C-alpha cells in the first residue's frame, strides 16, 4: 500500500476506531485524523490511540488523501458531500457499509468528481459499538468485500484493497448488487431473525413468572446480535430492503415448513429438517476462515519469522475436571479461562444432559452444581464427541448413580479402548455393556464399594474415574500407578473441600461419601497447546514467541525438558500459582536443534506433546529416539503410525517400533499432503512442519484442530505477520 499522508476516519466507532488503531500501530499514514459527532466518543478514541487528532468538524480533514467513511449508511452520502471540498487532489474515499448498491451510487454522486470512491465492506462488525469497543485484532483473518463498478478508478481500487490487506483481511471483489444479495442472506437475515425472536420473547414478559429468569445459553446465543447498533442497522434494513425481503420470504417458508411438521407430530420430517440444519451448521463452523479450504489447509513455508505473544487456550485437562467437579459440588462454581475447544464443550454438554445448568460467556462458565445425588437420568445417549477424557471420567461419575445411561462419541472415540476404565469400575460394583470394550458404553450405576487399585499403565483418566467413583463409595479408595500421571484432579479436589491423601507421587486416596462445595477455579494456559508454539518458535529462523501464563505442573513439563535437551532456547519466568497449579511465562527463540532420546517418565510427561516433538526431531540434527510410548497407539489416532506416515510422506526418514520411533532429522522436510486421521494434535503438528518445509504442506481435515485449539490457524497467521 502506498504511504498515506493524512488518513481520515469519519465515525471513529468499532470499525473506524479499530482501523485507526492498526493504521497507527503499523505506521500506515503520517497522520490519522478522526471526525465524529460526539466529543465524548472522540475523547475515548484519542485516549485509546485510535487517532492522532480528532474533531467534530470536517475541516479537520483538510488535505486528507485517503478517507474511510465509517458512519451509519443513511449518513454516508451526506458525509461524502461534506468532506469533498476539503480533500487533497486525487484523494480516495471508501466506506465500511454493510449494503453497497445504493451506497456506491450515492457516494460517487456526492463526491462530485472531487475524489475517487470505492465501496468496501469489511465483514468484521460485532454487536458492540463506539471507540471503546475498537481493537487491533478486529479485522485480522476476516474477509472484506470491495465492490467496484465500471467507473471505478483502477489505482484507487488497488489502494483500497491494499488498505484492507494491511488490516489483516483477505479481500474479494463483487459487484454491489451481488454483494447485497449475498449479505442479505448471510448477515442481514440472521439479524432480522434475532430481532423477531427477541420480540416474541419480550411479548411474553410482564405476566406472572418472568421467562428470562429461566433462559439458558440458547436464548442468549440466538439473540446476541439483537443488541447491535440501532442507528446502523435501521439504515442497513432500509437501504437493502429488496434483497432482505426476498430472504425473509425464504425464512418464513422454512418456519412454516417446520411448524407444519411439528403440528403433524411428524418425527421423520422434523428429523430431516434438523439433519439438514446440522449439516449447514457444521459446514459453517468448520470453515476456519480464509486459510482453510475444502477441509484442508495449505501451509506455505519460506516463512517470515514468527513474532509476538501467543494467546493459549486454557488447559484442557483442568477444564474437564473443573466442569465435572463443579457439577458434582453444591452451589455455583465459577470457572475462568475455559478453553473454547470442542473437547471441553463436550463435557459441558454431557453434564447439561444430566440436568446440570450452566451459563457460559467466552472463557467464563458458571455451573449450578447439583451434588452427585442431583444428577438425573439422561433421556438420550450422552455424546462425548472426540473426547476420551470426557467419556472415561464420566464412567467414574455414572458408576455410582442409581440409573442407566449410555456414553457415546464420534468415529474416533468409538475405536478407543474403555476396558481399562470399566474393568476396575466393575470391581467397585458398577456394570458396563459395550461391544468389545469400545463405545457406545451402557453404564448401570450401583451402590459402590471402595477399593484399592494398582493400575498396570499410568493413566490420569483412569485414575480420575476411579477417584470420582471412590467419592461415592463408603470408605477409602486408593489408586497406585506405575508412574506419576498428571495430577490435576488431586490438586483440584481440596479446592472443592475434599481431602486427598498422597503418600507418594504415585499413590492417591480419597474417602467417600464425599460432599463437594462450589469453588472458584482459574485455568492456566495449556502446556500441550504451548508445545506446538515452542517447536514452531524453535525451528522457524529468527522467531521469538512469548507464551504467557502456561501451566508448568511438573507432570506436564516433559516437552519443555525434551526441547531444552535438544538445544531449544526457552526461558521460563515463574509467576504466581493459579489455584494449585504452578504457572510461568515462557519465551522461545529460534535455535539449532540436535537429536535426543525420549523415554521412560519423560515420555509419560510428554505423552500429548509427542506429535509436536516428532516434528522438532525431524528438523534436529541426528537421530532422535522415542521409546516407551505404546500408549500413543491408543490416543485420538495411532499417533506413532500417523507421525511415521506423515513424516515419511514429507521425505523424512522414520523407523517405527512397537512403542516408539526413530526420526532421522536434519535432512530437510519436503512438501505434500498429509493425513491427520482426524486427530487434532497430528493436524497441528504438520501445520508446524509446513512452516519449514521446502514445498507447501497440505494438512487434511484441518478443522479438527478445533478439538483443542480453535484459534490455532488464526494465531499462526497473526504471528507470521509479527503481531503482538
Ligand atoms: C488426560 C490424560 C492423558 C492424556 C489425555 C488427557 C487427562 O491420557 O493423554 O490427553 O486429562 O487426564 P491417559 O490418562 O489415558 O494417559
Amino acid at each position: 500500500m502506498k504511504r498515506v499522508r493524512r488518513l481520515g476516519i469519519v465515525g471513529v466507532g468499532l470499525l473506524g476506531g479499530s482501523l485507526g488503531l492498526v493504521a497507527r500501530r503499523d505506521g500506515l499514514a503520517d497522520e490519522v485524523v478522526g471526525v465524529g459527532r460526539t466529543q465524548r466518543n472522540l475523547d475515548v478514541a484519542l485516549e485509546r490511540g485510535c487517532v492522532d487528532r480528532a474533531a467534530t468538524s470536517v475541516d479537520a480533514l483538510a488535505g486528507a488523501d485517503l478517507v474511510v467513511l465509517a458512519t451509519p449508511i443513511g449518513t454516508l452520502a451526506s458525509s461524502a458531500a461534506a468532506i469533498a471540498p476539503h480533500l487533497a487532489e486525487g484523494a480516495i474515499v471508501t466506506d465500511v457499509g454493510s449494503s453497497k448498491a445504493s451506497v456506491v451510487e450515492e457516494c460517487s454522486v456526492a463526491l462530485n468528481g472531487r475524489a475517487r470512491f470505492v465501496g468496501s465492506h469489511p465483514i468484521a462488525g460485532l454487536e458492540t459499538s463506539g471507540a471503546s469497543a475498537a481493537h487491533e485484532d478486529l479485522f485480522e483473518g476476516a474477509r472484506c468485500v470491495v465492490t467496484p463498478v465500471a467507473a471505478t478508478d483502477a489505482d484507487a481500487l488497488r489502494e483500497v484493497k491494499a488498505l484492507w490487506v494491511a488490516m489483516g483481511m483477505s479481500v474479494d471483489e463483487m459487484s454491489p448488487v451481488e454483494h447485497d444479495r449475498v449479505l442479505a442472506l448471510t448477515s442481514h437475515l440472521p439479524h432480522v431473525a434475532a430481532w423477531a425472536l427477541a420480540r416474541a420473547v419480550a411479548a411474553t414478559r410482564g405476566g406472572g413468572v418472568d421467562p428470562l429468569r429461566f433462559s439458558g445459553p440458547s436464548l442468549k446465543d440466538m439473540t446476541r446480535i439483537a443488541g447491535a447498533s440501532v442507528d446502523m442497522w435501521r439504515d442497513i434494513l432500509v437501504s437493502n430492503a429488496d434483497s432482505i425481503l426476498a430472504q425473509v420470504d425464504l425464512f418464513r417458508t422454512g418456519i412454516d415448513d417446520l411448524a407444519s411438521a411439528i403440528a403433524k407430530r411428524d418425527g421423520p420430517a422434523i428429523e430431516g429438517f434438523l439433519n439438514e440444519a446440522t449439516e449447514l451448521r457444521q459446514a459453517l463452523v468448520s470453515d476456519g476462515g480464509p486459510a482453510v479450504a475444502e477441509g484442508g489447509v495449505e501451509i506455505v513455508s519460506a516463512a517470515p519469522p514468527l513474532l509476538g505473544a501467543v494467546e493459549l487456550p486454557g488447559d484442557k485437562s483442568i477444564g474437564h475436571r473443573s466442569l465435572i467437579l463443579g457439577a458434582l459440588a453444591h452451589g455455583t462454581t465459577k470457572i475462568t479461562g475455559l478453553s473454547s475447544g470442542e473437547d471441553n464443550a463436550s463435557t459441558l454438554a454431557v453434564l447439561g444432559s444430566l440436568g446440570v445448568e450452566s451459563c457460559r460467556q467466552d472463557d467464563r462458565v458458571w455451573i449450578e452444581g447439583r451434588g452427585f445425588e442431583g444428577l438425573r437420568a439422561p433421556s438420550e445417549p450422552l455424546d462425548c464427541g472426540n473426547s476420551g477424557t470426557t467419556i472415561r471420567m464420566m464412567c467414574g461419575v455414572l458408576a455410582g448413580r442409581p440409573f442407566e445411561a449410555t456414553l457415546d462419541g464420534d468415529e474416533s472415540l468409538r475405536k478407543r479402548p474403555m476396558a481399562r476404565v470399566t474393568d476396575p469400575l466393575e470391581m467397585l460394583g458398577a456394570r458396563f455393556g459395550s461391544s468389545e470394550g469400545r463405545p457406545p458404553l451402557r453404564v448401570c450405576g450401583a451402590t459402590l464399594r471402595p477399593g484399592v487399585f494398582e493400575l498396570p499403565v499410568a493413566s490420569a483418566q483412569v485414575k480420575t474415574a476411579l477417584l470420582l467413583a471412590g467419592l461415592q463409595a463408603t470408605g477409602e479408595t486408593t489408586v497406585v500407578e506405575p508412574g506419576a500421571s498428571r495430577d490435576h484432579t488431586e490438586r483440584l479436589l481440596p479446592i472443592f473441600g475434599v481431602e486427598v491423601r498422597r503418600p507418594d507421587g504415585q499413590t492417591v486416596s480419597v474417602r467417600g461419601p464425599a460432599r463437594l462445595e462450589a469453588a472458584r477455579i482459574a485455568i492456566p494456559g495449556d502446556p500441550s497447546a504451548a508445545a506446538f508454539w515452542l517447536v514452531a518458535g524453535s525451528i522457524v529462523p529468527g522467531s521469538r514467541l512469548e507464551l504467557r501464563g502456561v501451566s508448568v505442573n511438573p507432570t506436564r513439563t516433559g516437552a519443555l525438558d525434551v526441547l531444552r535437551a535438544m538445544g531449544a532456547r526457552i526461558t521460563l519466568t515463574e509467576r504466581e500459582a493459579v489455584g494449585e497449579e504452578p504457572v510461568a511465562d515462557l519465551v522461545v527463540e529460534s535455535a539449532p536443534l540436535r537429536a535426543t532420546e525420549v523415554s521412560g517418565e519423560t515420555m509419560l510427561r510428554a505423552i500429548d506433546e509427542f506429535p509436536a516433538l516428532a516434528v522438532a526431531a525431524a528438523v534436529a540434527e541426528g537421530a532422535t529416539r522415542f521409546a516407551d510410548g505404546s500408549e500413543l497407539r491408543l490416543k485420538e489416532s495411532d499417533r506413532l503410525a500417523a507421525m511415521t506416515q506423515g513424516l515419511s510422506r514429507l521425505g523424512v526418514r522414520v523407523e517405527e517400533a512397537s512403542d516408539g520411533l526413530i526420526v532421522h532429522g536434519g535432512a530437510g522436510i519436503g512438501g505434500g499432503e498429509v493425513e491427520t486421521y482426524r486427530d487434532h494434535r497430528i493436524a497441528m503438528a504438520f501445520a508446524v512442519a509446513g512452516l519449514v518445509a521446502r514445498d507447501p504442506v497440505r494438512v487434511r481435515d484441518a478443522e479438527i484442530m478445533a478439538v483443542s485449539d480453535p484459534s490455532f490457524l488464526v494465531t499462526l497467521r497473526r504471528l507470521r505477520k509479527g503481531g503482538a
Side-chain angles (χ1 to χ4, degrees), residues 120-208:
S120 302
H121 178 199
I123 307 174
L126 293 172
E127 71 281 15
T128 48
S129 48
S132 57
H135 62 94
E136 288 180 356
D137 288 342
L138 183 73
F139 302 108
E140 189 64 54
R143 249 175 228 283
C144 180
V145 182
V146 291
T147 56
V149 290
T152 303
D153 179 85
D155 282 345
L157 175 62
R158 199 173 39 248
E159 286 309 307
V160 168
K161 282 166 91 172
L163 170 73
W164 297 118
V165 169
M167 292 294 133
M169 309 193 84
S170 63
V171 180
D172 292 283
E173 275 183 41
M174 264 185 218
S175 75
V177 172
E178 176 74 351
H179 166 277
D180 289 357
R181 196 184 57 73
V182 173
L183 268 289
L185 180 65
T186 59
S187 167
H188 308 169
L189 176 63
H191 279 81
V192 169
W195 288 309
L197 175 65
R199 185 170 194 244
V201 176
T204 64
R205 298 184 75 191

Side-chain angles (χ1 to χ4, degrees), residues 315-318 320-321 343 388-389 392-393 416 420 457-464 481 485-486 488-489 528 556 604 607-608 631 634-636 639 680-681:
D315 184 67
K316 184 154 81 74
S317 289
I318 303 175
H320 287 302
R321 288 159 171 82
D343 267 11
T389 311
R392 293 195 176 119
M393 291 188 187
R416 297 183 67 184
R420 54 177 54 205
V457 177
S459 163
Q461 294 175 350
V462 177
K463 173 177 64 178
T464 301
E481 292 183 287
S485 68
R486 62 193 67 189
H488 306 299
T489 309
S528 304
R556 301 286 298 281
L604 175 59
I607 196 82
D608 289 345
E631 278 294 296
L634 304 173
K635 297 295 178 188
E636 285 83 329
R639 287 185 175 158
H680 55 127
R681 298 204 199 280

Side-chain angles (χ1 to χ4, degrees), residues 16 28 151 157 185 211 311 325 338 352 362 374 377 381 388 421 445 451 506 530 556 566 589 600 625 663 674 724:
L28 303 180
L157 175 62
L185 180 65
E311 191 83 34
L325 295 179
L338 187 76
D362 305 323
V421 65
Q506 281 148 251
R556 301 286 298 281
M566 293 176 107
E589 288 172 283
R625 192 169 146 256
V663 180
V674 285

